[in-house]
Amino acid sequence: MPRKKIRIVPLTRNFQKYGLPLYSAAWVWYKLLDPDPDPSTSDEVSKSKSKSTQKNYIVLAGGGGEGRSGIPNAVLLVEFDFTAKSLSNLPVSKFVTDPDLPYRMAVHPHGDGVVCSFPKSCRLYVIDEEKSEEIKKLVLNLSDKVLTRLENVGQQLALKFNNEGSALAAGGEDGNLRVIEWPSMEAILDKADAHKSVKDVDFSPDGKYLVSLGNSGPAKVWDVTSKIAIASLSKENDEVFCFCRFSESNDMNQVLYIAAVTGKGGSIVTWDTKTWKRMGSKTVVRDTISAFSVSPDGKLLACGTTQGDIFILNSSSKQVQTIVRKAHLGFVTALSFAHDSRALASISLDSSARVTLFEEEDKTGGLSLWAIVLVLLVAVVVYFMMSQGILSSRLQFLRSF
């Protein structure tokens, strides 16, 4: 079986600036429906037309914060065109949230909207179609739905839906950890002293477990059903845990990654989700990891650094497969893989957003190219020898025996 590696697809229109510091990013998929389908077209034509209207968008959030900096606070919707390999230079839609800064977000996996955290409360934004006679476009609107369990609870530093979209986890600056049933907003778990301050949370792929990180102390694993902490994941030496992500390994077993910072740089710690024991730790970058993400297919890990670089790692070996140097001028604030794992969105405080595309490169392809070149060279040599009579004289000599 040919060995494959990931390479970055060269792009020229995958980088844009949007005029405000960006703190959070997430992909959303939206399908624009044909309002007037042609009844004379076949099902196959209708399907192909429907496919062509599938769009890929990224929700961005950020701003200048409170005060009179002149920099707005807003939630943006931008489009990435995979065919043209380009990121829209202007937002498709922009919802200004002044004077409140949208800091973290969670996109519902089945289209219920985007939950954004603000200094005092969380709000839900929905994506609607704005129709006209000639074109249709998408707009961000503030939902009428009040997120009762997340009203007047202070700044939430982490938000995450489970894969089914049936539960939302929220980690507060005050150390409160909440798991809320969606969309009923009934409390599943409410732990006031989970950490001194909750930095990150993530659900396991099956939704049974939730991992949470604080600004100090060990990480904790919670059983969502029993509502109790079942494991405490301790740090070693000078480790500082920064980000946590569940994934599935190549053998379809669940695995937990924790990105940490040490005196040597940024490292990835891997945990067994059956025993909750540390499986290993590896330093992968020399700089501080400021953003971390795992591809939905579980094959890639992405690390953003305070130097604006992006490192793409093989999840099994933790080997760096490729590096995007100076992807941003400021430090990377968030990373988000597309749903099909073929693209990575990254953002920065310098107001920039970038989309990095990947493709699998067949290493045997290089050998095939060399074989073709070798055959051509041999053909040229044979032709030259025949034109000079060298080859024919040698053949006659051989026949004499």
Side-chain angles (χ1 to χ4, degrees):
M1 186 175 180
R3 296 171 61 197
K4 294 182 177 180
K5 66 177 182 179
I6 297 296
R7 79 176 187 92
I8 292 177
V9 180
L11 301 176
T12 57
R13 293 180 292 173
N14 63 326
F15 179 88
Q16 299 291 346
K17 286 201 169 186
Y18 293 105
L20 64 160
L22 297 172
Y23 293 95
S24 191
W27 288 82
V28 292
W29 177 87
Y30 197 90
K31 182 176 179 181
L32 290 172
L33 300 176
D34 189 351
D36 299 307
D38 186 352
S40 64
T41 58
S42 65
D43 290 341
E44 291 185 2
V45 173
S46 297
K47 287 179 181 178
S48 63
K49 184 181 289 187
S50 177
K51 270 188 177 181
S52 67
T53 57
Q54 292 177 1
K55 302 288 186 179
N56 294 275
Y57 297 92
I58 307 169
V59 182
L60 309 174
E66 296 181 3
R68 299 181 180 180
S69 65
I71 301 174
N73 300 303
V75 181
L76 311 177
L77 184 67
V78 300
E79 181 182 355
F80 184 76
D81 188 330
F82 276 92
T83 303
K85 297 181 174 62
S86 65
L87 188 63
S88 58
N89 62 340
L90 293 175
V92 174
S93 180
K94 180 178 181 179
F95 194 101
V96 176
T97 64
D98 284 338
D100 298 327
L101 170 69
Y103 184 60
R104 290 288 183 258
M105 72 166 68
V107 173
H108 190 271
H110 303 306
D112 280 6
V114 183
V115 176
C116 291
S117 69
F118 293 88
K120 295 180 180 179
S121 303
C122 292
R123 304 172 197 165
L124 176 65
Y125 293 86
V126 292
I127 301 173
D128 296 322
E129 287 186 25
E130 189 176 82
K131 302 178 182 179
S132 65
E133 294 181 358
E134 298 180 355
I135 60 171
K136 291 188 299 183
K137 68 175 184 178
L138 300 183
V139 292
L140 282 164
N141 287 318
L142 181 62
S143 172
D144 294 333
K145 181 181 178 65
V146 178
L147 305 181
T148 52
R149 297 284 177 182
L150 296 174
E151 280 282 298
N152 299 313
V153 293
Q155 180 72 65
Q156 302 302 293
L157 301 180
L159 293 171
K160 185 73 176 184
F161 279 104
N162 64 1
N163 286 345
E164 292 183 352
S166 59
L168 172 66
E173 189 175 29
D174 59 359
N176 196 310
L177 178 66
R178 297 175 175 86
V179 179
I180 303 163
E181 186 178 43
W182 190 272
S184 69
M185 299 303 293
E186 294 295 325
I188 297 175
L189 184 151
D190 195 333
K191 191 68 173 174
D193 55 350
H195 301 275
K196 289 184 179 179
S197 181
V198 183
K199 290 199 301 185
D200 200 13
V201 297
D202 195 36
F203 283 100
S204 61
D206 58 14
K208 293 181 179 179
Y209 305 111
L210 178 77
V211 61
S212 61
L213 296 182
N215 58 355
S216 62
K220 295 181 181 180
V221 180
W222 306 80
D223 186 303
V224 176
T225 303
S226 65
K227 308 176 185 179
I228 61 172
I230 60 171
S232 179
L233 311 181
S234 300
K235 299 180 288 186
E236 290 185 355
N237 301 323
D238 60 345
E239 286 178 340
V240 176
F241 290 164
C242 301
F243 304 96
C244 53
R245 292 292 180 272
F246 277 103
S247 183
E248 288 186 344
S249 58
N250 294 334
D251 55 6
M252 301 306 292
N253 288 321
Q254 294 183 160
V255 62
L256 172 63
Y257 301 108
I258 292 182
V261 175
T262 69
K264 297 180 180 179
S267 63
I268 304 297
V269 186
T270 309
W271 303 82
D272 187 317
T273 58
K274 293 179 181 178
T275 63
W276 302 112
K277 292 183 178 179
R278 180 186 290 242
M279 297 170 61
S281 175
K282 184 174 182 179
T283 300
V284 293
V285 297
R286 293 182 179 179
D287 301 313
T288 300
I289 297 175
S290 58
F292 180 65
S293 186
V294 180
S295 62
D297 62 10
K299 295 180 180 179
L300 300 175
L301 309 178
C303 299
T305 73
T306 52
Q307 299 300 310
D309 301 327
I310 297 173
F311 291 76
I312 309 300
L313 316 173
N314 178 290
S315 62
S316 299
S317 64
K318 310 300 183 297
Q319 293 291 331
V320 176
Q321 292 207 346
T322 189
I323 305 172
V324 185
R325 294 289 186 189
K326 297 301 177 184
H328 302 273
L329 294 178
F331 69 82
V332 181
T333 50
L335 296 168
S336 177
F337 276 97
H339 303 106
D340 56 8
S341 303
R342 60 175 169 156
L344 176 74
S346 59
I347 58 171
S348 172
L349 287 180
D350 67 1
S351 82
S352 66
R354 174 186 291 270
V355 174
T356 303
L357 279 179
F358 311 108
E359 66 180 17
E360 288 187 334
E361 185 180 70
D362 194 339
K363 287 189 175 181
T364 60
L367 296 176
S368 301
L369 178 61
W370 279 111
I372 294 172
V373 172
L374 182 60
V375 169
L376 290 175
L377 286 174
V378 171
V380 170
V381 171
V382 170
Y383 175 79
F384 175 78
M385 294 178 69
M386 291 183 67
S387 65
Q388 298 296 319
I390 299 173
L391 187 61
S392 58
S393 61
R394 293 200 175 203
L395 287 174
Q396 289 177 3
F397 174 77
L398 290 172
R399 285 171 184 167
S400 64
F401 288 92

